[in-house]
Amino acid sequence: MRFVQDIPHPHFRIGLYAWNGKYIVKIEAGPYEQTYKINEMDMVDPTAVHQMLDEPFLDRVTKRFGEMDTDWQEAGNRHDVF
């Protein structure tokens, strides 16, 4: 996987990578990560990814991170891990 660029954001670590004919957008928050793959042929300019990372999309990402944390905590509690 080849690193293309970091995409600045105040709450997440966002990285753009290229691998196997796809752009990969990795969004990290604490111990959680969301990954999105985009076919390179569907995107002429990788900087267009910035446009896709708009407020409505990142609001959903934030919500999903919260759901991921809830799921993880509940699983740990069910098994007396935490």
Side-chain angles (χ1 to χ4, degrees):
M1 187 168 5
R2 179 177 63 83
F3 174 77
V4 176
Q5 70 183 85
D6 277 321
I7 299 172
H9 190 272
H11 304 293
F12 305 127
R13 182 169 188 262
I14 303 175
L16 179 63
Y17 300 85
W19 183 69
N20 227 16
K22 293 184 177 18
Y23 288 115
I24 299 171
V25 179
K26 291 176 123 185
I27 305 172
E28 300 176 49
Y32 306 113
E33 178 179 291
Q34 295 178 43
T35 304
Y36 298 86
K37 297 178 183 176
I38 307 159
N39 190 321
E40 284 183 1
M41 302 304 276
D42 293 340
M43 187 159 293
V44 177
D45 181 7
T47 59
V49 170
H50 291 261
Q51 295 172 347
M52 296 177 67
L53 301 175
D54 61 7
E55 188 174 341
F57 176 78
L58 291 173
D59 286 346
R60 295 294 308 257
V61 166
T62 300
K63 181 179 178 191
R64 197 167 294 115
F65 275 130
E67 292 167 352
M68 291 168 71
D69 184 58
T70 297
D71 294 344
W72 186 247
Q73 295 300 322
E74 288 175 356
N77 290 336
R78 278 193 307 274
H79 301 283
D80 294 323
V81 175
F82 302 121

